[in-house]
PDB file of all heavy atoms in Angstrom:
ATOM      1  N   ARG A 753     -38.149 -64.956 -45.413  1.00  0.00           N
ATOM      2  CA  ARG A 753     -39.454 -64.395 -45.066  1.00  0.00           C
ATOM      3  C   ARG A 753     -39.657 -63.050 -45.764  1.00  0.00           C
ATOM      4  O   ARG A 753     -40.739 -62.736 -46.253  1.00  0.00           O
ATOM      5  CB  ARG A 753     -39.537 -64.244 -43.547  1.00  0.00           C
ATOM      6  CG  ARG A 753     -40.926 -63.781 -43.075  1.00  0.00           C
ATOM      7  CD  ARG A 753     -41.092 -63.897 -41.563  1.00  0.00           C
ATOM      8  NE  ARG A 753     -40.030 -63.207 -40.822  1.00  0.00           N
ATOM      9  CZ  ARG A 753     -39.044 -63.838 -40.225  1.00  0.00           C
ATOM     10  NH1 ARG A 753     -38.957 -65.162 -40.276  1.00  0.00           N
ATOM     11  NH2 ARG A 753     -38.120 -63.171 -39.568  1.00  0.00           N
ATOM     12  N   LYS A 754     -38.630 -62.240 -45.827  1.00  0.00           N
ATOM     13  CA  LYS A 754     -38.756 -60.941 -46.491  1.00  0.00           C
ATOM     14  C   LYS A 754     -39.012 -61.110 -47.981  1.00  0.00           C
ATOM     15  O   LYS A 754     -39.820 -60.398 -48.576  1.00  0.00           O
ATOM     16  CB  LYS A 754     -37.486 -60.114 -46.271  1.00  0.00           C
ATOM     17  CG  LYS A 754     -37.374 -59.579 -44.848  1.00  0.00           C
ATOM     18  CD  LYS A 754     -36.100 -58.748 -44.692  1.00  0.00           C
ATOM     19  CE  LYS A 754     -35.994 -58.211 -43.294  1.00  0.00           C
ATOM     20  NZ  LYS A 754     -34.764 -57.395 -43.123  1.00  0.00           N
ATOM     21  N   LEU A 755     -38.340 -62.141 -48.625  1.00  0.00           N
ATOM     22  CA  LEU A 755     -38.549 -62.368 -50.054  1.00  0.00           C
ATOM     23  C   LEU A 755     -39.968 -62.832 -50.305  1.00  0.00           C
ATOM     24  O   LEU A 755     -40.626 -62.399 -51.271  1.00  0.00           O
ATOM     25  CB  LEU A 755     -37.536 -63.404 -50.565  1.00  0.00           C
ATOM     26  CG  LEU A 755     -36.070 -62.933 -50.644  1.00  0.00           C
ATOM     27  CD1 LEU A 755     -35.166 -64.097 -51.060  1.00  0.00           C
ATOM     28  CD2 LEU A 755     -35.952 -61.810 -51.678  1.00  0.00           C
ATOM     29  N   ALA A 756     -40.497 -63.691 -49.439  1.00  0.00           N
ATOM     30  CA  ALA A 756     -41.869 -64.182 -49.615  1.00  0.00           C
ATOM     31  C   ALA A 756     -42.865 -63.047 -49.441  1.00  0.00           C
ATOM     32  O   ALA A 756     -43.842 -62.916 -50.206  1.00  0.00           O
ATOM     33  CB  ALA A 756     -42.151 -65.299 -48.618  1.00  0.00           C
ATOM     34  N   GLU A 757     -42.651 -62.182 -48.467  1.00  0.00           N
ATOM     35  CA  GLU A 757     -43.583 -61.067 -48.241  1.00  0.00           C
ATOM     36  C   GLU A 757     -43.555 -60.087 -49.401  1.00  0.00           C
ATOM     37  O   GLU A 757     -44.593 -59.568 -49.833  1.00  0.00           O
ATOM     38  CB  GLU A 757     -43.212 -60.348 -46.943  1.00  0.00           C
ATOM     39  CG  GLU A 757     -43.504 -61.162 -45.692  1.00  0.00           C
ATOM     40  CD  GLU A 757     -43.016 -60.460 -44.446  1.00  0.00           C
ATOM     41  OE1 GLU A 757     -42.355 -59.389 -44.608  1.00  0.00           O
ATOM     42  OE2 GLU A 757     -43.253 -60.947 -43.335  1.00  0.00           O
ATOM     43  N   GLU A 758     -42.410 -59.840 -49.967  1.00  0.00           N
ATOM     44  CA  GLU A 758     -42.325 -58.900 -51.080  1.00  0.00           C
ATOM     45  C   GLU A 758     -43.001 -59.486 -52.323  1.00  0.00           C
ATOM     46  O   GLU A 758     -43.710 -58.781 -53.050  1.00  0.00           O
ATOM     47  CB  GLU A 758     -40.857 -58.580 -51.379  1.00  0.00           C
ATOM     48  CG  GLU A 758     -40.210 -57.683 -50.335  1.00  0.00           C
ATOM     49  CD  GLU A 758     -38.777 -57.356 -50.694  1.00  0.00           C
ATOM     50  OE1 GLU A 758     -38.316 -57.768 -51.774  1.00  0.00           O
ATOM     51  OE2 GLU A 758     -38.096 -56.649 -49.891  1.00  0.00           O
ATOM     52  N   GLY A 759     -42.828 -60.802 -52.591  1.00  0.00           N
ATOM     53  CA  GLY A 759     -43.491 -61.418 -53.735  1.00  0.00           C
ATOM     54  C   GLY A 759     -44.993 -61.393 -53.588  1.00  0.00           C
ATOM     55  O   GLY A 759     -45.723 -61.094 -54.528  1.00  0.00           O
ATOM     56  N   GLN A 760     -45.532 -61.703 -52.477  1.00  0.00           N
ATOM     57  CA  GLN A 760     -46.966 -61.690 -52.238  1.00  0.00           C
ATOM     58  C   GLN A 760     -47.511 -60.284 -52.343  1.00  0.00           C
ATOM     59  O   GLN A 760     -48.618 -60.052 -52.847  1.00  0.00           O
ATOM     60  CB  GLN A 760     -47.270 -62.295 -50.859  1.00  0.00           C
ATOM     61  CG  GLN A 760     -48.765 -62.445 -50.572  1.00  0.00           C
ATOM     62  CD  GLN A 760     -49.022 -63.088 -49.235  1.00  0.00           C
ATOM     63  OE1 GLN A 760     -48.066 -63.410 -48.543  1.00  0.00           O
ATOM     64  NE2 GLN A 760     -50.282 -63.291 -48.910  1.00  0.00           N
ATOM     65  N   GLY A 761     -46.784 -59.305 -51.912  1.00  0.00           N
ATOM     66  CA  GLY A 761     -47.234 -57.914 -51.975  1.00  0.00           C
ATOM     67  C   GLY A 761     -47.373 -57.447 -53.396  1.00  0.00           C
ATOM     68  O   GLY A 761     -48.328 -56.770 -53.756  1.00  0.00           O
ATOM     69  N   HIS A 762     -46.492 -57.836 -54.331  1.00  0.00           N
ATOM     70  CA  HIS A 762     -46.599 -57.433 -55.739  1.00  0.00           C
ATOM     71  C   HIS A 762     -47.782 -58.088 -56.393  1.00  0.00           C
ATOM     72  O   HIS A 762     -48.465 -57.469 -57.239  1.00  0.00           O
ATOM     73  CB  HIS A 762     -45.295 -57.818 -56.469  1.00  0.00           C
ATOM     74  CG  HIS A 762     -44.173 -56.830 -56.196  1.00  0.00           C
ATOM     75  ND1 HIS A 762     -44.169 -55.547 -56.661  1.00  0.00           N
ATOM     76  CD2 HIS A 762     -43.015 -56.997 -55.490  1.00  0.00           C
ATOM     77  CE1 HIS A 762     -43.068 -54.946 -56.268  1.00  0.00           C
ATOM     78  NE2 HIS A 762     -42.327 -55.828 -55.553  1.00  0.00           N
ATOM     79  N   ALA A 763     -48.063 -59.321 -56.039  1.00  0.00           N
ATOM     80  CA  ALA A 763     -49.198 -60.024 -56.655  1.00  0.00           C
ATOM     81  C   ALA A 763     -50.512 -59.397 -56.249  1.00  0.00           C
ATOM     82  O   ALA A 763     -51.446 -59.256 -57.057  1.00  0.00           O
ATOM     83  CB  ALA A 763     -49.166 -61.502 -56.253  1.00  0.00           C
ATOM     84  N   ASN A 764     -50.710 -59.032 -55.026  1.00  0.00           N
ATOM     85  CA  ASN A 764     -51.955 -58.425 -54.550  1.00  0.00           C
ATOM     86  C   ASN A 764     -52.125 -57.013 -55.058  1.00  0.00           C
ATOM     87  O   ASN A 764     -53.244 -56.514 -55.226  1.00  0.00           O
ATOM     88  CB  ASN A 764     -51.988 -58.426 -53.023  1.00  0.00           C
ATOM     89  CG  ASN A 764     -52.064 -59.837 -52.459  1.00  0.00           C
ATOM     90  OD1 ASN A 764     -52.588 -60.730 -53.134  1.00  0.00           O
ATOM     91  ND2 ASN A 764     -51.540 -60.034 -51.250  1.00  0.00           N
ATOM     92  N   ALA A 765     -51.090 -56.334 -55.349  1.00  0.00           N
ATOM     93  CA  ALA A 765     -51.177 -54.927 -55.754  1.00  0.00           C
ATOM     94  C   ALA A 765     -51.726 -54.780 -57.160  1.00  0.00           C
ATOM     95  O   ALA A 765     -52.492 -53.868 -57.441  1.00  0.00           O
ATOM     96  CB  ALA A 765     -49.793 -54.268 -55.662  1.00  0.00           C
TER      97      ALA A 765
END
Side-chain angles (χ1 to χ4, degrees):
R753 185 169 54 255
K754 287 181 180 180
L755 289 176
E757 290 175 354
E758 287 182 4
Q760 185 178 0
H762 281 291
N764 294 333

